[in-house]
Amino acid sequence: MNSTVVIIDAFGIGRYFAPILKQLGFACVHMQSTKTIPASYRSTFHASDFVETIIYQGDLAQTVAQLKRYQIAFFCREMNRQLP
């Protein structure tokens, strides 16, 4: 299994992370902090860059269980948005 990077809210400037990390040999998982991608960011999100999108539903235990399938190297997030 490849090492995996979890990218939180990979739209806006965060959309640039996955292609670079994939070139470096990482698998990428998208962790979405909202149920839907904000309309202003929908066109910048590329689902094909990710092996999975996990939508945070407010249940930390459920999210951890979903992430346990992966060998996570690190997490990163876009810095120009404040997480809810």
Side-chain angles (χ1 to χ4, degrees):
M1 179 187 295
N2 289 347
S3 290
T4 302
V5 176
V6 178
I7 303 173
I8 302 167
D9 292 338
F11 31 83
I13 198 159
R15 73 184 181 267
Y16 297 112
F17 299 160
I20 294 167
L21 290 164
K22 284 172 62 175
Q23 286 181 341
L24 295 172
F26 291 97
C28 296
V29 169
H30 178 231
M31 172 69 64
Q32 194 170 302
S33 67
T34 58
K35 290 183 182 182
T36 59
I37 296 173
S40 60
Y41 289 109
R42 284 188 197 127
S43 66
T44 67
F45 177 68
H46 303 287
S48 62
D49 287 336
F50 301 93
V51 296
E52 181 178 6
T53 291
I54 296 172
I55 299 172
Y56 181 67
Q57 307 272 341
D59 184 338
L60 185 57
Q62 176 188 24
T63 302
V64 169
Q66 290 176 286
L67 291 171
K68 282 186 175 182
R69 294 187 295 241
Y70 301 98
Q71 181 182 342
I72 298 172
F74 60 93
F75 291 77
C76 62
R77 73 175 179 98
E78 173 175 355
M79 298 306 290
N80 66 343
R81 289 189 71 238
Q82 184 173 6
L83 295 176

